[in-house]
């Protein structure tokens, strides 16, 4: 097998097809462990519980996984960090690049509010192949995510960059692509002072606006899910979250425009010291962030979100809702699981 080839689909060597369910077990267990911290005001303890559960699953899994996109950069929170190895790393076991956020929406967990998930993305790569995930060095990126119908319309009309267009024009384009009036287009952004201009533009053109407090992976994926009721996501959010969302969009057929965004000049100068000006101004699409044909995306709801219902505790059972996607097959699975607390054992590191 050359450095650019993956095993044939549905062949005995297509281990990604089997291992994808282990990735979703990891997000399920992270949700099961972190739900006990819902509303307790301890986001770092919730994050630590989720990390321990994810480590526990991978400690039993025969893969060679390398964390390309981790967490903890912005706030020194507990986390699974870039460069860590996950899995047993047995000789001959399949290699995966991994991006993860044990809890996207830790503030929401701490406050007991909606819109928190546990999420992992992965891409299988042959030995000797370069990394399949793009690491964006800025803390934040300007992101605009849209669904498959908008992507197709954009390709037919010259593949313009939405980030270089006034938001009013983008909303009009999306409305036409979806066969809607502009007032019926639903735009999601995070409720942040830095988004005041976005909020004003959306309202001025009459589109519907939903503001979220946290968790923009869910928001970026939502326009590619018809049942979500969301048509467009726009805002300046975490760069690692952009890569995680890109894996899902690669599976779903949607896309996003992503460009580095700097919250202060000190951080811009820090990034500029190691990054070319061209890359700092580059617009990345999903295929630029997740290279190659392999992409897995899985997430489990912790508290309710547009993507997934949250964890439900019913007597001695806990119910979880997860989504599992694979780009090579185009399969999207919705997994509703019931966990018997009298028999369930969640593997925990330490």
């Amino acid at each position: 097998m050359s450095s650019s080839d993956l095993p044939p689909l549905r062949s005995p060597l297509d281990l990604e097809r089997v291992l994808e369910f282990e990735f979703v077990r990891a997000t399920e267990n992270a949700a099961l462990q972190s739900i006990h911290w819902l509303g307790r005001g301890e986001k770092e303890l919730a994050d630590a519980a989720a990390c321990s559960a994810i480590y526990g699953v991978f400690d039993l899994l025969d893969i060679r996984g390398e964390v390309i996109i981790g967490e903890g950069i912005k706030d020194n929170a507990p986390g699974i960090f870039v460069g860590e190895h996950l899995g047993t790393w047995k000789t001959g076991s399949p290699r995966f690049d991994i991006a993860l956020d044990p809890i996207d929406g830790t503030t929401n967990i701490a406050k007991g509010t909606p819109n928190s998930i546990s999420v992992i993305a992965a891409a299988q790569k042959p030995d000797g192949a370069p990394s399949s995930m793009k690491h964006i060095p800025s803390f934040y990126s300007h992101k605009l995510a849209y669904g498959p119908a908008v992507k197709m319309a954009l390709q037919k009309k010259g593949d313009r960059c939405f980030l270089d267009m006034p938001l009013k024009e983008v909303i009009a384009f999306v409305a036409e692509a979806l066969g809607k009036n502009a007032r019926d287009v639903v735009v999601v952004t995070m409720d942040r002072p830095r988004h005041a201009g976005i909020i004003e533009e959306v309202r001025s053109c009459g589109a519907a606006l939903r503001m979220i407090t946290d968790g923009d992976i869910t928001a970026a994926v939502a326009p590619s899910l018809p049942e979500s009721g969301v048509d467009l996501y726009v805002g300046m959010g975490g760069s690692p979250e952009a890569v995680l969302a890109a894996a899902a969009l690669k599976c779903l057929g949607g896309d996003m425009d992503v460009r580095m965004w700097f919250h202060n000049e000190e951080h811009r100068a820090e990034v500029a010291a190691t990054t070319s000006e061209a890359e700092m101004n580059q617009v990345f699409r999903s295929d630029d962030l997740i290279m190659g044909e392999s992409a897995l995306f899985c997430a489990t709801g912790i508290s309710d979100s547009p993507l997934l219902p949250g964890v439900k505790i019913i007597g001695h059972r806990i119910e979880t809702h997860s989504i599992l996607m694979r780009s090579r097959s185009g399969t999207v699975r919705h997994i509703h699981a019931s966990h018997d607390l009298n028999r369930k054992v969640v593997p925990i590191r330490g």
Side-chain angles (χ1 to χ4, degrees):
M1 183 168 63
S2 76
S3 63
S4 61
D5 291 334
L6 291 172
L9 280 170
R10 293 173 294 279
S11 75
L13 298 176
D14 184 15
L15 297 180
E16 181 188 82
R17 182 169 176 263
V18 177
L19 290 169
E20 62 181 338
F21 293 99
E22 300 297 337
F23 286 88
V24 82
R25 284 190 179 96
T27 59
E28 282 181 347
N29 285 348
L32 292 173
Q33 289 300 107
S34 58
I35 191 61
H36 302 296
W37 295 99
L38 185 70
R40 295 190 179 186
E42 298 282 2
K43 69 176 186 178
E44 292 192 359
L45 292 178
D47 213 22
C51 290
S52 182
I54 289 173
Y55 279 132
V57 172
F58 280 104
D59 286 347
L60 303 173
L61 191 57
D62 286 338
I63 66 167
R64 289 174 289 164
E66 182 176 356
V67 178
I68 305 300
I69 306 296
E71 64 159 3
I73 299 171
K74 294 194 290 288
D75 53 10
N76 295 316
I80 300 174
F81 294 93
V82 173
E84 287 197 52
H85 284 184
L86 299 178
T88 62
W89 275 73
K90 289 183 178 178
T91 302
S93 57
R95 296 203 65 170
F96 283 88
D97 285 344
I98 296 173
L100 78 173
D101 196 343
I103 303 176
D104 181 41
T106 52
T107 298
N108 299 8
I109 283 282
K111 293 181 178 180
T113 56
N115 212 36
S116 60
I117 61 173
S118 179
V119 58
I120 295 176
Q124 187 179 359
K125 65 175 188 178
D127 285 336
S131 174
S132 57
M133 293 180 175
K134 173 69 179 175
H135 173 70
I136 302 176
S138 61
F139 288 160
Y140 299 105
S141 290
H142 188 183
K143 298 180 268 190
L144 197 153
Y146 43 91
V150 176
K151 178 181 178 179
M152 290 178 61
L154 195 61
Q155 291 172 339
K156 290 177 181 177
K157 296 190 176 182
D159 209 16
R160 299 171 63 189
C161 172
F162 278 149
L163 295 180
D164 293 332
M165 296 167 57
L167 189 52
K168 184 176 182 179
E169 289 184 23
V170 175
I171 291 171
F173 187 100
V174 170
E176 182 181 353
L178 298 178
K180 295 184 174 185
N181 294 316
R183 67 175 181 271
D184 296 322
V185 172
V186 178
V187 183
V188 171
T189 192
M190 287 193 291
D191 188 4
R192 298 287 190 273
R194 63 180 179 264
H195 292 159
I198 292 172
I199 292 167
E200 183 179 347
E201 281 193 80
V202 173
R203 288 173 173 167
S204 69
C205 66
L209 178 66
R210 294 184 189 174
M211 287 188 283
I212 59 173
T213 58
D214 235 324
D216 74 338
I217 296 174
T218 292
V221 175
S224 293
L225 296 169
E227 65 274 16
S228 72
V230 174
D231 301 310
L232 194 65
Y233 167 72
V234 60
M236 283 72 81
S239 295
E241 287 81 356
V243 180
L244 281 154
L249 297 178
K250 196 176 178 79
C251 298
L252 293 168
D255 215 334
M256 65 194 308
D257 293 359
V258 178
R259 180 189 281 141
M260 292 186 216
W261 183 84
F262 301 95
H263 62 294
N264 59 43
E265 288 304 315
E266 180 182 359
H267 183 48
R268 180 189 292 273
E270 181 184 347
V271 173
T274 57
T275 308
S276 69
E277 184 176 351
E279 185 173 356
M280 289 176 67
N281 294 312
Q282 183 178 348
V283 174
F284 300 98
R285 295 271 175 81
S286 294
D287 284 341
D288 301 313
L289 299 176
I290 307 291
M291 289 80 80
E293 62 176 310
S294 173
L296 298 174
F297 177 91
C298 63
T300 301
I302 302 172
S303 57
D304 291 342
S305 74
L307 181 63
L308 291 162
V311 172
K312 302 289 189 298
I313 302 176
I314 308 168
H316 69 282
R317 292 184 299 111
I318 293 184
E319 293 191 354
T320 58
H321 294 263
S322 303
I323 191 167
L324 173 61
M325 314 179 196
R326 188 185 186 207
S327 65
R328 294 187 75 196
S329 63
T331 303
V332 178
R333 289 182 169 89
H334 296 268
I335 302 171
H336 178 189
S338 178
H339 308 268
D340 186 336
L341 296 180
N342 292 330
R343 291 184 285 176
K344 180 77 174 182
V345 177
V346 176
I348 298 295
R349 176 182 285 187

